[in-house]
């Protein structure tokens, strides 16, 4: 693997049978779904759809080697990205609204997802990067178990909005190598307003980030520049201070190691229903962005990915 020997944790869990047990435990959650903090209780096994519009059947929008992710995840072969359809958070400014809100994609079997993972490995990808996996966590783990039995050896990147239940994270311990987690809001009023009444986002996500860091630690690159394990935080700076960016940097520095990886992102563009909120209907100014970067540095954060 680009000269670095790394053994993902899920391999030994697969061999002991624990990976399958975890996948089945997650699957049981579909009966009265509480996979995400909405806890909407849909009986997805019996065909009900939850808030996220996901049922029991897995849906995948696309899968391919992706070269636009963070440099430390890409490498020469790209990040093996699998975009899962639907989303439990439901942001008004979603960039992937056709996949997340409208659920575009194709229903596939768990074995098909395992096949995609193996195909991405065959193509030379650096990792398996499941995008928006929360509502399909059981399917991802069961597919990983099948793929591990057929030779999958790539690190698993859990590319999440960050709003994760602690009991679900407990079931993912030792399975996920890299948590690639958004940290979108610091204010419950803002998360409720812009993400479908997700008032608990700041509180739950802060706890989730602490737990993710406990499980996988700081994301530090190996000698080839690539990351194989650790917590990687994405913070999108938003207009109108929707993201509470200065406070977010202060919270990270006060609650996580100072070398926690933080990608401070400037690429916000109004999309989907952002036009309905005048404060979101514009890009972020460079001055605002630079102020956030300055604050992160002032707070002592040293593992920053910034656009300056
Ligand atoms: S994952 Fe979907 S169905 Fe399950 S609790 Fe969340 S929104 Fe509801």
């Amino acid at each position: 693997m680009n000269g670095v020997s790394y053994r993902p944790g899920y391999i030994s869990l697969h061999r002991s049978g624990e990976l399958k047990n975890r996948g089945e435990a997650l699957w049981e959650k579909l009966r009265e779904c509480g996979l995400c903090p909405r806890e909407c209780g849909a009986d997805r096994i019996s065909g009900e759809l939850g808030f996220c519009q996901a049922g029991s059947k897995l849906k995948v929008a696309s899968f391919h080697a992706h070269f636009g992710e963070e440099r430390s995840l890409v490498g020469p072969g790209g990040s093996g990205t699998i975009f899962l359809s639907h989303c439990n958070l439901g942001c008004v400014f979603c960039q992937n609204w056709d996949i997340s809100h409208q659920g575009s994609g194709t229903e596939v079997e768990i074995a098909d997802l395992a096949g995609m993972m193996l195909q991405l490995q065959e193509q030379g990808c650096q990792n398996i990067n499941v995008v928006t996996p929360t509502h399909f966590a059981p399917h991802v783990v069961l597919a990983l178990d099948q793929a591990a039995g057929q030779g999958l050896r790539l690190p698993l990147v859990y590319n999440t909005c960050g709003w994760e239940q602690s009991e679900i994270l407990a079931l993912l311990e030792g399975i996920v190598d890299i948590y690639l987690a958004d940290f979108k809001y610091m204010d419950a009023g803002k998360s409720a307003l812009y993400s479908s009444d997700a008032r608990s986002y700041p509180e739950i996500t802060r706890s989730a980030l602490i737990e993710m860091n406990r499980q996988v630690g700081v994301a530090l690159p190996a000698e080839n520049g690539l990351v194989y394990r650790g917590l990687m935080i994405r913070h999108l700076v938003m207009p109108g201070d929707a993201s509470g960016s200065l406070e977010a940097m202060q919270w990270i520095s006060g609650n996580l190691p100072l070398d926690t990886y933080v990608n401070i992102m400037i690429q916000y563009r109004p999309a989907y229903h952002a036009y309905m909120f005048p404060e979101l209907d514009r890009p972020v100014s460079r001055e605002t962005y630079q102020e956030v970067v300055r604050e992160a540095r002032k707070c002592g954060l040293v593992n920053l990915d910034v656009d300056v």
Side-chain angles (χ1 to χ4, degrees):
M1 202 185 294
N2 292 314
V4 170
S5 166
Y6 177 78
R7 184 184 161 88
Y10 64 76
I11 294 172
S12 54
L13 294 180
H14 162 73
R15 292 199 174 136
S16 68
E18 175 66 8
L19 191 56
K20 188 157 185 250
N21 291 342
R22 300 268 195 99
E24 288 171 351
L26 285 163
W27 188 267
E28 283 303 306
K29 307 269 180 207
L30 295 176
R31 294 190 190 282
E32 191 178 340
C33 192
L35 281 178
C36 88
R38 289 201 187 274
E39 297 185 330
C40 63
D43 183 354
R44 291 171 56 183
I45 302 284
S46 300
E48 280 181 24
L49 303 182
F51 168 89
C52 59
Q53 295 299 301
S56 62
K57 201 76 190 261
L58 177 65
K59 208 167 173 188
V60 172
S62 66
F63 71 105
H64 53 264
H66 188 13
F67 292 86
E69 298 288 57
E70 283 77 355
R71 271 190 313 280
S72 56
L73 294 177
V74 169
S79 180
T81 307
I82 303 174
F83 287 91
L84 302 172
S85 307
H86 305 298
C87 176
N88 61 315
L89 190 55
C91 305
V92 297
F93 52 88
C94 183
Q95 310 281 311
N96 296 323
W97 52 272
D98 53 331
I99 298 172
S100 297
H101 286 265
Q102 296 185 337
S104 94
T106 307
E107 287 192 344
V108 297
E109 303 297 330
I110 287 171
D112 297 324
L113 180 58
M116 291 171 199
M117 293 174 173
L118 290 163
Q119 195 176 319
L120 291 165
Q121 175 170 269
E122 185 67 22
Q123 284 175 25
C125 289
Q126 175 61 30
N127 44 53
I128 299 299
N129 180 349
V130 283
V131 182
T132 322
T134 310
H135 52 294
F136 285 132
H139 309 70
V140 169
V141 172
L142 290 170
L144 192 69
D145 184 54
Q146 290 186 18
Q150 295 169 62
L152 186 73
R153 294 295 178 268
L154 296 182
L156 179 70
V157 181
Y158 207 72
N159 189 336
T160 163
C161 68
W163 195 43
E164 295 285 350
Q165 300 270 64
S166 56
E167 63 177 298
I168 304 301
L169 290 176
L171 287 169
L172 294 174
E173 181 162 8
I175 297 174
V176 173
D177 297 286
I178 298 167
Y179 284 106
L180 180 58
D182 292 344
F183 189 24
K184 290 177 184 288
Y185 304 106
M186 290 299 284
D187 180 86
K190 301 268 173 67
S191 59
L193 182 62
Y194 303 133
S195 290
S196 308
D197 209 25
R199 185 165 290 277
S200 65
Y201 182 96
E203 187 184 345
I204 288 187
T205 304
R206 288 193 292 255
S207 298
L209 293 174
I210 289 171
E211 170 60 14
M212 291 171 189
N213 177 69
R214 188 196 67 75
Q215 288 186 18
V216 297
V218 170
L220 294 174
E223 58 267 32
N224 61 5
L226 298 171
V227 163
Y228 294 83
R229 184 176 170 84
L231 167 63
M232 300 175 70
I233 297 177
R234 284 175 167 171
H235 178 77
L236 179 66
V237 182
M238 291 182 59
D241 198 31
S243 46
S245 296
L246 301 184
E247 207 190 328
M249 296 306 119
Q250 292 155 10
W251 183 87
I252 293 170
S253 69
N255 293 276
L256 293 168
L258 290 174
D259 55 353
T260 297
Y261 172 95
V262 185
N263 182 0
I264 305 177
M265 304 167 81
I266 194 174
Q267 53 263 54
Y268 175 85
R269 296 289 178 277
Y272 193 49
H273 288 162
Y275 71 91
M276 297 168 75
F277 300 83
E279 68 279 18
L280 297 187
D281 198 19
R282 58 186 165 89
V284 169
S285 72
R286 181 137 299 264
E287 292 70 34
T288 298
Y289 178 80
Q290 283 170 339
E291 191 187 352
V292 178
V293 173
R294 275 197 302 275
E295 181 68 16
R297 289 183 172 141
K298 195 172 121 202
C299 290
L301 294 172
V302 292
N303 193 0
L304 299 175
D305 201 342
V306 296
D307 185 343
V308 288

mmCIF file with all atom_site columns, all heavy atoms in Angstrom, residues 266-277:
data_model
loop_
_atom_site.group_PDB
_atom_site.id
_atom_site.type_symbol
_atom_site.label_atom_id
_atom_site.label_alt_id
_atom_site.label_comp_id
_atom_site.label_asym_id
_atom_site.label_entity_id
_atom_site.label_seq_id
_atom_site.pdbx_PDB_ins_code
_atom_site.Cartn_x
_atom_site.Cartn_y
_atom_site.Cartn_z
_atom_site.occupancy
_atom_site.B_iso_or_equiv
_atom_site.pdbx_formal_charge
_atom_site.auth_seq_id
_atom_site.auth_comp_id
_atom_site.auth_asym_id
_atom_site.auth_atom_id
_atom_site.pdbx_PDB_model_num
ATOM 1   N N   . ILE A 1 266 ? -13.503 26.611 2.443  1.00 0.00 ? 266 ILE A N   1
ATOM 2   C CA  . ILE A 1 266 ? -14.015 27.904 1.957  1.00 0.00 ? 266 ILE A CA  1
ATOM 3   C C   . ILE A 1 266 ? -15.015 27.729 0.817  1.00 0.00 ? 266 ILE A C   1
ATOM 4   O O   . ILE A 1 266 ? -15.600 28.698 0.341  1.00 0.00 ? 266 ILE A O   1
ATOM 5   C CB  . ILE A 1 266 ? -12.841 28.807 1.493  1.00 0.00 ? 266 ILE A CB  1
ATOM 6   C CG1 . ILE A 1 266 ? -13.311 30.244 1.318  1.00 0.00 ? 266 ILE A CG1 1
ATOM 7   C CG2 . ILE A 1 266 ? -12.166 28.254 0.244  1.00 0.00 ? 266 ILE A CG2 1
ATOM 8   C CD1 . ILE A 1 266 ? -12.232 31.239 0.998  1.00 0.00 ? 266 ILE A CD1 1
ATOM 9   N N   . GLN A 1 267 ? -15.248 26.476 0.409  1.00 0.00 ? 267 GLN A N   1
ATOM 10  C CA  . GLN A 1 267 ? -15.964 26.283 -0.862 1.00 0.00 ? 267 GLN A CA  1
ATOM 11  C C   . GLN A 1 267 ? -17.484 26.385 -0.784 1.00 0.00 ? 267 GLN A C   1
ATOM 12  O O   . GLN A 1 267 ? -18.166 25.939 -1.705 1.00 0.00 ? 267 GLN A O   1
ATOM 13  C CB  . GLN A 1 267 ? -15.565 24.955 -1.506 1.00 0.00 ? 267 GLN A CB  1
ATOM 14  C CG  . GLN A 1 267 ? -15.704 23.738 -0.632 1.00 0.00 ? 267 GLN A CG  1
ATOM 15  C CD  . GLN A 1 267 ? -14.388 23.373 0.012  1.00 0.00 ? 267 GLN A CD  1
ATOM 16  O OE1 . GLN A 1 267 ? -13.773 24.202 0.664  1.00 0.00 ? 267 GLN A OE1 1
ATOM 17  N NE2 . GLN A 1 267 ? -13.946 22.149 -0.175 1.00 0.00 ? 267 GLN A NE2 1
ATOM 18  N N   . TYR A 1 268 ? -18.013 26.957 0.283  1.00 0.00 ? 268 TYR A N   1
ATOM 19  C CA  . TYR A 1 268 ? -19.475 27.097 0.354  1.00 0.00 ? 268 TYR A CA  1
ATOM 20  C C   . TYR A 1 268 ? -19.995 27.892 -0.847 1.00 0.00 ? 268 TYR A C   1
ATOM 21  O O   . TYR A 1 268 ? -19.490 28.956 -1.173 1.00 0.00 ? 268 TYR A O   1
ATOM 22  C CB  . TYR A 1 268 ? -19.903 27.809 1.643  1.00 0.00 ? 268 TYR A CB  1
ATOM 23  C CG  . TYR A 1 268 ? -21.395 28.067 1.661  1.00 0.00 ? 268 TYR A CG  1
ATOM 24  C CD1 . TYR A 1 268 ? -22.282 27.101 2.103  1.00 0.00 ? 268 TYR A CD1 1
ATOM 25  C CD2 . TYR A 1 268 ? -21.924 29.267 1.163  1.00 0.00 ? 268 TYR A CD2 1
ATOM 26  C CE1 . TYR A 1 268 ? -23.658 27.311 2.074  1.00 0.00 ? 268 TYR A CE1 1
ATOM 27  C CE2 . TYR A 1 268 ? -23.299 29.495 1.124  1.00 0.00 ? 268 TYR A CE2 1
ATOM 28  C CZ  . TYR A 1 268 ? -24.147 28.512 1.579  1.00 0.00 ? 268 TYR A CZ  1
ATOM 29  O OH  . TYR A 1 268 ? -25.514 28.723 1.532  1.00 0.00 ? 268 TYR A OH  1
ATOM 30  N N   . ARG A 1 269 ? -21.014 27.338 -1.498 1.00 0.00 ? 269 ARG A N   1
ATOM 31  C CA  . ARG A 1 269 ? -21.740 28.044 -2.547 1.00 0.00 ? 269 ARG A CA  1
ATOM 32  C C   . ARG A 1 269 ? -23.215 27.798 -2.307 1.00 0.00 ? 269 ARG A C   1
ATOM 33  O O   . ARG A 1 269 ? -23.590 26.691 -1.931 1.00 0.00 ? 269 ARG A O   1
ATOM 34  C CB  . ARG A 1 269 ? -21.376 27.512 -3.956 1.00 0.00 ? 269 ARG A CB  1
ATOM 35  C CG  . ARG A 1 269 ? -19.934 27.735 -4.369 1.00 0.00 ? 269 ARG A CG  1
ATOM 36  C CD  . ARG A 1 269 ? -19.632 29.216 -4.667 1.00 0.00 ? 269 ARG A CD  1
ATOM 37  N NE  . ARG A 1 269 ? -18.235 29.435 -5.018 1.00 0.00 ? 269 ARG A NE  1
ATOM 38  C CZ  . ARG A 1 269 ? -17.242 29.586 -4.152 1.00 0.00 ? 269 ARG A CZ  1
ATOM 39  N NH1 . ARG A 1 269 ? -17.479 29.528 -2.855 1.00 0.00 ? 269 ARG A NH1 1
ATOM 40  N NH2 . ARG A 1 269 ? -16.002 29.785 -4.568 1.00 0.00 ? 269 ARG A NH2 1
ATOM 41  N N   . PRO A 1 270 ? -24.059 28.788 -2.514 1.00 0.00 ? 270 PRO A N   1
ATOM 42  C CA  . PRO A 1 270 ? -25.490 28.557 -2.297 1.00 0.00 ? 270 PRO A CA  1
ATOM 43  C C   . PRO A 1 270 ? -25.991 27.462 -3.234 1.00 0.00 ? 270 PRO A C   1
ATOM 44  O O   . PRO A 1 270 ? -25.709 27.499 -4.435 1.00 0.00 ? 270 PRO A O   1
ATOM 45  C CB  . PRO A 1 270 ? -26.143 29.898 -2.657 1.00 0.00 ? 270 PRO A CB  1
ATOM 46  C CG  . PRO A 1 270 ? -25.027 30.891 -2.655 1.00 0.00 ? 270 PRO A CG  1
ATOM 47  C CD  . PRO A 1 270 ? -23.773 30.148 -2.975 1.00 0.00 ? 270 PRO A CD  1
ATOM 48  N N   . ALA A 1 271 ? -26.672 26.487 -2.671 1.00 0.00 ? 271 ALA A N   1
ATOM 49  C CA  . ALA A 1 271 ? -27.230 25.404 -3.484 1.00 0.00 ? 271 ALA A CA  1
ATOM 50  C C   . ALA A 1 271 ? -28.569 25.003 -2.884 1.00 0.00 ? 271 ALA A C   1
ATOM 51  O O   . ALA A 1 271 ? -28.931 25.439 -1.779 1.00 0.00 ? 271 ALA A O   1
ATOM 52  C CB  . ALA A 1 271 ? -26.275 24.209 -3.499 1.00 0.00 ? 271 ALA A CB  1
ATOM 53  N N   . TYR A 1 272 ? -29.292 24.204 -3.640 1.00 0.00 ? 272 TYR A N   1
ATOM 54  C CA  . TYR A 1 272 ? -30.576 23.642 -3.209 1.00 0.00 ? 272 TYR A CA  1
ATOM 55  C C   . TYR A 1 272 ? -31.513 24.766 -2.723 1.00 0.00 ? 272 TYR A C   1
ATOM 56  O O   . TYR A 1 272 ? -31.849 25.634 -3.499 1.00 0.00 ? 272 TYR A O   1
ATOM 57  C CB  . TYR A 1 272 ? -30.328 22.571 -2.142 1.00 0.00 ? 272 TYR A CB  1
ATOM 58  C CG  . TYR A 1 272 ? -31.542 21.712 -1.858 1.00 0.00 ? 272 TYR A CG  1
ATOM 59  C CD1 . TYR A 1 272 ? -32.278 21.126 -2.892 1.00 0.00 ? 272 TYR A CD1 1
ATOM 60  C CD2 . TYR A 1 272 ? -31.981 21.473 -0.553 1.00 0.00 ? 272 TYR A CD2 1
ATOM 61  C CE1 . TYR A 1 272 ? -33.400 20.342 -2.626 1.00 0.00 ? 272 TYR A CE1 1
ATOM 62  C CE2 . TYR A 1 272 ? -33.095 20.689 -0.272 1.00 0.00 ? 272 TYR A CE2 1
ATOM 63  C CZ  . TYR A 1 272 ? -33.799 20.135 -1.316 1.00 0.00 ? 272 TYR A CZ  1
ATOM 64  O OH  . TYR A 1 272 ? -34.893 19.369 -1.037 1.00 0.00 ? 272 TYR A OH  1
ATOM 65  N N   . HIS A 1 273 ? -31.906 24.805 -1.455 1.00 0.00 ? 273 HIS A N   1
ATOM 66  C CA  . HIS A 1 273 ? -32.856 25.810 -0.976 1.00 0.00 ? 273 HIS A CA  1
ATOM 67  C C   . HIS A 1 273 ? -32.198 26.989 -0.266 1.00 0.00 ? 273 HIS A C   1
ATOM 68  O O   . HIS A 1 273 ? -32.880 27.753 0.419  1.00 0.00 ? 273 HIS A O   1
ATOM 69  C CB  . HIS A 1 273 ? -33.874 25.147 -0.033 1.00 0.00 ? 273 HIS A CB  1
ATOM 70  C CG  . HIS A 1 273 ? -34.850 24.272 -0.763 1.00 0.00 ? 273 HIS A CG  1
ATOM 71  N ND1 . HIS A 1 273 ? -35.610 23.306 -0.144 1.00 0.00 ? 273 HIS A ND1 1
ATOM 72  C CD2 . HIS A 1 273 ? -35.180 24.212 -2.083 1.00 0.00 ? 273 HIS A CD2 1
ATOM 73  C CE1 . HIS A 1 273 ? -36.361 22.703 -1.038 1.00 0.00 ? 273 HIS A CE1 1
ATOM 74  N NE2 . HIS A 1 273 ? -36.131 23.222 -2.225 1.00 0.00 ? 273 HIS A NE2 1
ATOM 75  N N   . ALA A 1 274 ? -30.894 27.124 -0.427 1.00 0.00 ? 274 ALA A N   1
ATOM 76  C CA  . ALA A 1 274 ? -30.199 28.225 0.254  1.00 0.00 ? 274 ALA A CA  1
ATOM 77  C C   . ALA A 1 274 ? -30.762 29.586 -0.169 1.00 0.00 ? 274 ALA A C   1
ATOM 78  O O   . ALA A 1 274 ? -30.740 30.549 0.611  1.00 0.00 ? 274 ALA A O   1
ATOM 79  C CB  . ALA A 1 274 ? -28.704 28.156 -0.035 1.00 0.00 ? 274 ALA A CB  1
ATOM 80  N N   . TYR A 1 275 ? -31.296 29.654 -1.391 1.00 0.00 ? 275 TYR A N   1
ATOM 81  C CA  . TYR A 1 275 ? -31.816 30.933 -1.886 1.00 0.00 ? 275 TYR A CA  1
ATOM 82  C C   . TYR A 1 275 ? -32.979 31.442 -1.018 1.00 0.00 ? 275 TYR A C   1
ATOM 83  O O   . TYR A 1 275 ? -33.316 32.627 -1.039 1.00 0.00 ? 275 TYR A O   1
ATOM 84  C CB  . TYR A 1 275 ? -32.263 30.794 -3.348 1.00 0.00 ? 275 TYR A CB  1
ATOM 85  C CG  . TYR A 1 275 ? -33.512 29.962 -3.517 1.00 0.00 ? 275 TYR A CG  1
ATOM 86  C CD1 . TYR A 1 275 ? -34.771 30.556 -3.500 1.00 0.00 ? 275 TYR A CD1 1
ATOM 87  C CD2 . TYR A 1 275 ? -33.436 28.578 -3.676 1.00 0.00 ? 275 TYR A CD2 1
ATOM 88  C CE1 . TYR A 1 275 ? -35.918 29.798 -3.632 1.00 0.00 ? 275 TYR A CE1 1
ATOM 89  C CE2 . TYR A 1 275 ? -34.574 27.813 -3.795 1.00 0.00 ? 275 TYR A CE2 1
ATOM 90  C CZ  . TYR A 1 275 ? -35.811 28.426 -3.771 1.00 0.00 ? 275 TYR A CZ  1
ATOM 91  O OH  . TYR A 1 275 ? -36.942 27.669 -3.873 1.00 0.00 ? 275 TYR A OH  1
ATOM 92  N N   . MET A 1 276 ? -33.587 30.552 -0.244 1.00 0.00 ? 276 MET A N   1
ATOM 93  C CA  . MET A 1 276 ? -34.718 30.957 0.596  1.00 0.00 ? 276 MET A CA  1
ATOM 94  C C   . MET A 1 276 ? -34.265 31.654 1.885  1.00 0.00 ? 276 MET A C   1
ATOM 95  O O   . MET A 1 276 ? -35.078 32.146 2.654  1.00 0.00 ? 276 MET A O   1
ATOM 96  C CB  . MET A 1 276 ? -35.565 29.723 0.950  1.00 0.00 ? 276 MET A CB  1
ATOM 97  C CG  . MET A 1 276 ? -36.190 29.080 -0.283 1.00 0.00 ? 276 MET A CG  1
ATOM 98  S SD  . MET A 1 276 ? -36.887 27.460 0.053  1.00 0.00 ? 276 MET A SD  1
ATOM 99  C CE  . MET A 1 276 ? -38.354 27.906 0.925  1.00 0.00 ? 276 MET A CE  1
ATOM 100 N N   . PHE A 1 277 ? -32.956 31.636 2.111  1.00 0.00 ? 277 PHE A N   1
ATOM 101 C CA  . PHE A 1 277 ? -32.384 32.259 3.318  1.00 0.00 ? 277 PHE A CA  1
ATOM 102 C C   . PHE A 1 277 ? -31.366 33.303 2.854  1.00 0.00 ? 277 PHE A C   1
ATOM 103 O O   . PHE A 1 277 ? -30.241 32.947 2.481  1.00 0.00 ? 277 PHE A O   1
ATOM 104 C CB  . PHE A 1 277 ? -31.697 31.202 4.194  1.00 0.00 ? 277 PHE A CB  1
ATOM 105 C CG  . PHE A 1 277 ? -32.625 30.113 4.658  1.00 0.00 ? 277 PHE A CG  1
ATOM 106 C CD1 . PHE A 1 277 ? -32.919 29.037 3.834  1.00 0.00 ? 277 PHE A CD1 1
ATOM 107 C CD2 . PHE A 1 277 ? -33.220 30.191 5.908  1.00 0.00 ? 277 PHE A CD2 1
ATOM 108 C CE1 . PHE A 1 277 ? -33.796 28.051 4.254  1.00 0.00 ? 277 PHE A CE1 1
ATOM 109 C CE2 . PHE A 1 277 ? -34.091 29.202 6.337  1.00 0.00 ? 277 PHE A CE2 1
ATOM 110 C CZ  . PHE A 1 277 ? -34.389 28.128 5.494  1.00 0.00 ? 277 PHE A CZ  1
#
